[in-house]
Amino acid sequence: RIVPPPPSSPPPGVQTSTSVDRPPEQLTRPSMQHRPRSTTQMFEVIVPPGVRPNQPFSLIAAGQRVLVTCPPNAFPGQKIRFQLQVSQPISKSIEPVKLSYDNERGWTRTIRVTDMKFQWVRMDDKGDIDLNKRFDMKHSAYVRKLDFLEGNDPRMRTGKVCLVPASSSDAVVESKVMHNQKEIVSSADIATAQQKTYEEKAVWFQEICSQLSEDWNDGHIRLVVRRAHLLQDALHSVMSLGPDAFRKIWRFEFAGEPGIDAGGLAREWYQLVTEQIFDPDNGLWLTSSGNQMRMWINPASEISCPEDHLIYFRFLGRIMGKALFDQQLVAGHMDTHLYKHILGWPITFAELEAVDQEFYNSLVSLVDMEDVSMLCLDFTITEETLGTKKNIELIPNGENIEVTNDNLPEYLEANLKYRLMDRIRPQLTELLLGFFDVIPEPLLSIFDFQELELLMCGMPEIDLDDWEANTVYSGLFQDNGGDDPVCRWFWEVVRENFDQETRARLLQFVTGT
């Protein structure tokens, strides 16, 4: 059973609404009095050995990992200066902040001092930035790059999505949030919030969303849908709205049914709508081959909805963003790398294993072959849809390029890009555009991909007895199973030392959902 995090009591001066015609009697907006003040500070650093002019290097300043570019006229051993926005906590008891975006493959999100934007870098074993540009299946990573464009319809901006190397200077994210021409979140605020627990992050996120929301008197939205035509009515209603409408208060009604939306109708609306759109029978999403509990975008969704399949993904992106904005839950768990695409997190070759383990193993086996050319492979892939096979070139002129040991890294790289981006690019583009119609991208920087899934889908109530009874043991523990002393100690730790969030993360790790 999936339940949301425990609700907090209303702030002083805020009363829960009980009428669709009247908003909550709100005397004041939630206060941000505990928000750390930010200031700009000058730092001086010595250029490390081996760093050349115009080459970036990483360091820790004021407890934050930052990315500094060596000036053209500087050299190792010379002192250089840069400015950085830092937190000035109100209370001296607050510890210095640090951006801890490190993952298991050495990728770290830094603050680029030239423009105060977030950028990923990979640190090698010596603590230096890894500047290797050729694809390495163990260490290389890509992030999605989303460029926003103006569309013909003011209600629908367009954009382009592609995968770029995670360390690319183009793979950056803004580190501040503007509202009404004022900065309400700075990079220092994000660095501070990123150190909080998951529950504290969720509260901070909702406090910022409350500042971005429109007052009831400035306009509100009433959505009326028919149960028999729920998805179609919801689609037409939501897609007729402009970007400003997604930060207004929404009230929901089911046509012909008496009811007051005091929160229950909203929860039901989001639950039913997302259940229908994630339903594999509708042809937009498929159950993941690696995990039946997760959903994966159907690359052939156009066949199921030939006229308007992309509008459903824009619609879902908006619904997911609005649900997050309004502290509601969605009914579908997506494949892990889709949450990483939303966050702009690095995607590595290992992600393929969760998507298609058999395909991943076949690619890995090529690395150990003495002569790959014996397989007569080229830079194409064959896909079958409704009985029709189609050859797809992974790179331009791919059908005329033989795979050899020399270009094998490029072949693996091309397969990674195709599987995790190119084959679903149109659908993913619309999903992201819809999501960011509602949520400012920098706000998500405080979460990792597991926390984002918990925030969107809810914290599970975990039955430890059922989990332990249905655990399958292998390797050294296959014979004794749960009776092995190590296994007993493991379950003791889970029961006695893990809180609900840690148990949920462990469950995500061992089951994928």
Side-chain angles (χ1 to χ4, degrees), residues 73-308:
N73 57 349
F75 51 85
Q78 182 177 347
K79 293 181 179 180
I80 61 173
R81 294 180 177 182
F82 64 91
Q83 290 184 327
L84 180 67
Q85 195 173 41
V86 298
S87 291
Q88 292 293 328
I90 295 175
S91 170
K92 294 183 179 180
S93 63
I94 299 178
E95 295 295 326
V97 297
K98 176 185 176 184
L99 280 174
S100 57
Y101 290 97
D102 302 29
N103 67 18
E104 70 278 5
R105 298 186 183 275
W107 287 98
T108 303
R109 180 171 262 173
T110 63
I111 298 176
R112 196 167 64 181
V113 298
T114 53
D115 54 11
M116 299 305 296
K117 293 183 179 180
F118 289 134
Q119 179 179 339
W120 290 95
V121 297
R122 183 184 176 275
M123 312 303 294
D124 60 23
D125 296 336
K126 298 179 181 179
D128 299 325
I129 295 179
D130 186 356
L131 299 177
N132 181 31
K133 296 187 180 299
R134 194 176 190 194
F135 182 77
D136 178 354
M137 63 182 296
K138 293 183 178 179
H139 300 125
S140 296
Y142 285 85
V143 297
R144 60 102 183 123
K145 180 175 181 284
L146 175 60
D147 292 321
F148 293 101
L149 305 171
E150 293 296 329
N152 296 326
D153 187 337
R155 297 170 299 178
M156 294 272 289
R157 62 179 174 176
T158 62
K160 298 187 301 181
V161 172
C162 62
L163 279 181
V164 298
S167 57
S168 168
S169 59
D170 293 332
V172 296
V173 175
E174 290 287 348
S175 62
K176 61 183 178 181
V177 177
M178 305 294 293
H179 182 56
N180 294 332
Q181 299 182 339
K182 293 182 180 179
E183 181 183 286
I184 64 171
V185 175
S186 68
S187 60
D189 296 329
I190 292 175
T192 302
Q194 203 270 337
Q195 298 303 304
K196 300 176 182 290
T197 65
Y198 166 70
E199 288 81 4
E200 292 170 338
K201 289 180 184 180
V203 171
W204 182 89
F205 177 83
Q206 293 302 333
E207 286 179 344
I208 301 299
C209 287
S210 70
Q211 290 190 40
L212 296 172
S213 64
E214 299 290 338
D215 188 85
W216 176 276
N217 295 324
D218 294 333
H220 48 274
I221 306 294
R222 177 177 292 170
L223 298 180
V224 182
V225 296
R226 300 164 295 174
R227 284 192 183 272
H229 306 278
L230 174 63
L231 189 56
Q232 291 74 19
D233 287 357
L235 174 71
H236 294 152
S237 298
V238 171
M239 296 311 298
S240 67
L241 300 175
D244 294 341
F246 296 102
R247 294 180 182 174
K248 298 181 184 295
I249 297 174
W250 286 12
R251 289 292 182 261
F252 302 90
E253 295 181 30
F254 289 95
E257 299 181 18
I260 297 176
D261 185 7
L265 290 181
R267 286 192 295 272
E268 184 181 11
W269 189 90
Y270 281 107
Q271 176 76 17
L272 295 176
V273 168
T274 53
E275 277 182 353
Q276 288 196 25
I277 203 166
F278 277 114
D279 187 346
D281 290 341
N282 288 326
L284 299 172
W285 292 79
L286 302 172
T287 54
S288 173
S289 60
N291 188 329
Q292 295 297 307
M293 297 297 292
R294 290 191 176 276
M295 306 304 296
W296 163 246
I297 294 174
N298 182 5
S301 60
E302 184 177 8
I303 297 176
S304 302
C305 306
E307 296 181 358
D308 54 5

Side-chain angles (χ1 to χ4, degrees), residues 401-437:
I401 301 177
E402 182 185 12
V403 178
T404 65
N405 289 72
D406 291 336
N407 63 16
L408 179 59
E410 286 69 34
Y411 179 71
L412 299 177
E413 178 185 32
N415 274 280
L416 169 67
K417 289 182 176 181
Y418 178 74
R419 283 278 177 163
L420 300 186
M421 172 61 74
D422 293 347
R423 71 196 303 229
I424 58 166
R425 187 194 306 273
Q427 298 93 324
L428 181 62
T429 300
E430 294 300 317
L431 185 73
L432 294 175
L433 288 172
F435 191 89
F436 293 126
D437 278 344

Side-chain angles (χ1 to χ4, degrees), residues 16-50:
T16 304
S17 173
T18 57
S19 170
V20 295
D21 299 316
R22 183 168 55 86
E25 299 298 334
Q26 183 171 329
L27 302 180
T28 59
R29 285 189 179 273
S31 172
M32 291 295 290
Q33 58 183 345
H34 299 298
R35 173 185 169 186
R37 293 188 298 269
S38 299
T39 186
T40 300
Q41 183 174 338
M42 181 71 72
F43 290 85
E44 187 176 83
V45 62
I46 297 176
V47 178

